[in-house]
Amino acid sequence: MADVSLQGVSKLFGGIAAVSDVSLEISDGEFVVLLGPTGAGKTTTLRLVAGLEKPERGSVMIDGKDMTHAAPSQRDVSFVFQQYSLYPHLSVRENLAFPLKSPAHNLSADQIKARVEHVAELVQIDHKLENRSTALSGGEMQRVAIGRALVRDPSIFLMDEPLSSLDAKLRGDLRIELKRIQKELGSTLLYVTHDQIEAMTMADRIGILNEGELLQLGTPREIYEDPVNVHVAARLGQPGINLLPLEALQITSAPTGAVTLGLRTEHLEVLKGAALNDGSTMEAKATLDRVEYLGDQNRLHMSLGEHKLITLGDGQIEYDTSAGEALLLRARDALFFDHNGDRVR
Ligand SMILES: Nc1ncnc2c1ncn2[C@@H]1O[C@H](COP(=O)(O)OP(=O)(O)O)[C@@H](O)[C@H]1O
Ligand SMILES: [Mg+2]
């Protein structure tokens, strides 16, 4: 495999920057996930690496070589598209073998057979090798699509939301498998998704992409615990971070320049009943508007004056929403942001 480097890459469509001055180094054997909403520039970034788009500015290096102007066929990348397509008239075995049949590979029939069977085992489709690809479930088809990328030994794998069309259970299973396979093969993998769980669970490093810009790049823990701005902070965490004006809680110890307070569920302690504000600086009285009981947890929807908050509470506790139950909120280790939304410490 190889390392990949984007240096100041921009791609415009009709004057709009789909990708804007993105610099990104992916090490050999690293699993990098770009996370962003629809329209963030994820697919365009992958297409730039694959050579399916040419950047207006910047360069794309693969394995130390400048590939900015190289054709896709010269780049040695393997792409799994969002809308996967198998050859319906071919069996699973023939679909998996297809990328190896090009004369460029110059492999014997035995070598192809061995490679296909190895990959079929990796993606756990070996029991269906002789099936028509149309006689498979959605999850099985997606395994074949991923397997078809894996049979080759390219410089880098590019995957565009490959699990997004699957149901939740299968997505959960396949993301664990994909991570296992990537580790086993030592693959360099650039994966894009709008799903924060996929990013958190699979990535060595996550890049947060927003309106074509790479806002932050770091380990899942760095991105979650130490976001550079409100966009990054809001991208991870379920329920999402609560962003409130500083005045919403009586805070005396905020850093200079802070105007917004960011409270994740683990920053908030919810005290029920007649607990009194003991004068500590990070407390406020809230009203419970709604409870979603999830068994192990309660998802608490609260009002703090005119502001709304959502946090998780203990599933064992019963709440009374009919009367707009009064709660005491106690916050610690909050995040602070300035008027531009940038983090202040
Ligand atoms: N071929 C194209 N022509 C014009 N605009 C495009 C084209 N491809 C993408 N865009 C625009 O570029 C932006 C980023 O798109 P895309 O990379 O597909 O985002 P994502 O994959 O994150 O949803 C969007 O605003 C999209 O409409
Ligand atoms: Mg896309």
Side-chain angles (χ1 to χ4, degrees):
M1 303 300 287
D3 50 286
V4 175
S5 165
L6 303 185
Q7 295 164 1
V9 170
S10 295
K11 177 68 201 174
L12 307 174
F13 289 113
I16 311 279
V19 171
S20 183
D21 195 21
V22 165
S23 295
L24 172 65
E25 308 277 333
I26 306 167
S27 310
D28 190 5
E30 191 177 25
F31 196 141
V32 170
V33 177
L34 296 180
L35 178 66
T38 301
K42 302 183 298 294
T43 297
T44 305
T45 304
L46 289 186
R47 291 174 59 83
L48 284 162
V49 177
L52 299 169
E53 302 285 355
K54 288 277 185 318
E56 270 77 33
R57 278 191 300 279
S59 57
V60 177
M61 315 277 291
I62 299 177
D63 204 12
K65 290 188 278 295
D66 189 343
M67 287 287 172
T68 316
H69 302 288
S73 58
Q74 295 173 281
R75 298 194 186 202
D76 191 25
V77 303
S78 211
F79 206 133
V80 180
F81 293 94
Q82 188 165 8
Q83 300 303 326
Y84 54 92
S85 53
L86 303 178
Y87 300 107
H89 57 288
L90 298 183
S91 67
V92 169
R93 181 186 291 282
E94 289 161 336
N95 266 284
L96 289 175
F98 198 86
L100 299 177
K101 295 252 167 96
S102 118
H105 288 293
N106 194 24
L107 294 171
S108 72
D110 281 349
Q111 285 170 315
I112 291 176
K113 181 169 184 291
R115 185 91 197 123
V116 163
E117 288 176 4
H118 174 64
V119 166
E121 261 174 53
L122 273 180
V123 297
Q124 295 176 8
I125 198 75
D126 44 322
H127 56 301
K128 299 259 169 106
L129 272 171
E130 314 315 327
N131 279 43
R132 276 288 186 93
S133 61
T134 45
L136 300 173
S137 71
E140 288 167 344
M141 284 189 202
Q142 193 58 330
R143 279 165 211 260
V144 179
I146 292 169
R148 209 169 47 176
L150 297 179
V151 287
R152 292 187 41 219
D153 185 19
S155 299
I156 182 168
F157 292 106
L158 304 174
M159 299 197 183
D160 192 352
E161 313 209 34
L163 309 183
S164 63
S165 60
L166 304 175
D167 67 50
K169 166 83 171 73
L170 256 172
R171 252 194 342 257
D173 292 348
L174 276 183
R175 67 172 187 254
I176 291 170
E177 277 176 41
L178 197 53
K179 180 70 190 169
R180 173 184 60 77
I181 291 166
Q182 182 265 343
K183 278 273 162 284
E184 210 169 303
L185 298 177
S187 316
T188 309
L189 209 162
L190 179 59
Y191 184 107
V192 307
T193 182
H194 65 274
D195 183 320
Q196 56 167 305
I197 305 289
E198 286 180 15
M200 289 294 268
T201 54
M202 294 195 292
D204 294 320
R205 286 188 303 158
I206 297 174
I208 303 290
L209 207 55
N210 191 53
E211 296 180 353
E213 286 183 56
L214 185 61
L215 299 181
Q216 190 172 354
L217 182 69
T219 65
R221 187 175 287 277
E222 283 164 359
I223 300 286
Y224 183 79
E225 292 183 354
D226 206 8
V228 296
N229 61 32
V230 286
H231 296 292
V232 176
R235 189 54 55 204
L236 295 182
Q238 280 175 327
I241 191 167
N242 296 288
L243 295 167
L244 303 170
L246 211 51
E247 311 82 71
L249 272 85
Q250 306 135 35
I251 292 182
T252 54
S253 57
T256 319
V259 298
T260 303
L261 186 62
L263 294 167
R264 295 198 191 276
T265 194
E266 64 272 25
H267 300 148
L268 279 169
E269 187 182 357
V270 180
L271 303 170
K272 190 177 144 74
L276 284 175
N277 193 329
D278 64 2
S280 146
T281 54
M282 296 280 270
E283 290 188 359
K285 289 200 174 84
T287 314
L288 187 61
D289 299 326
R290 198 149 50 87
V291 178
E292 293 173 281
Y293 172 64
L294 304 171
D296 58 333
Q297 288 170 324
N298 281 306
R299 187 185 272 254
L300 307 173
H301 297 251
M302 298 172 291
S303 293
L304 188 63
E306 65 194 274
H307 309 293
K308 302 287 181 197
L309 270 91
I310 303 176
T311 191
L312 296 176
D314 189 337
Q316 298 287 311
I317 298 176
E318 286 190 39
Y319 293 92
D320 174 17
T321 47
S322 57
E325 187 168 344
L327 298 170
L328 184 68
L329 289 182
R330 190 172 283 164
R332 63 187 148 73
D333 303 329
L335 305 179
F336 297 98
F337 303 95
D338 69 12
H339 66 283
N340 293 320
D342 289 329
R343 181 85 177 283
V344 282
R345 293 150 208 272

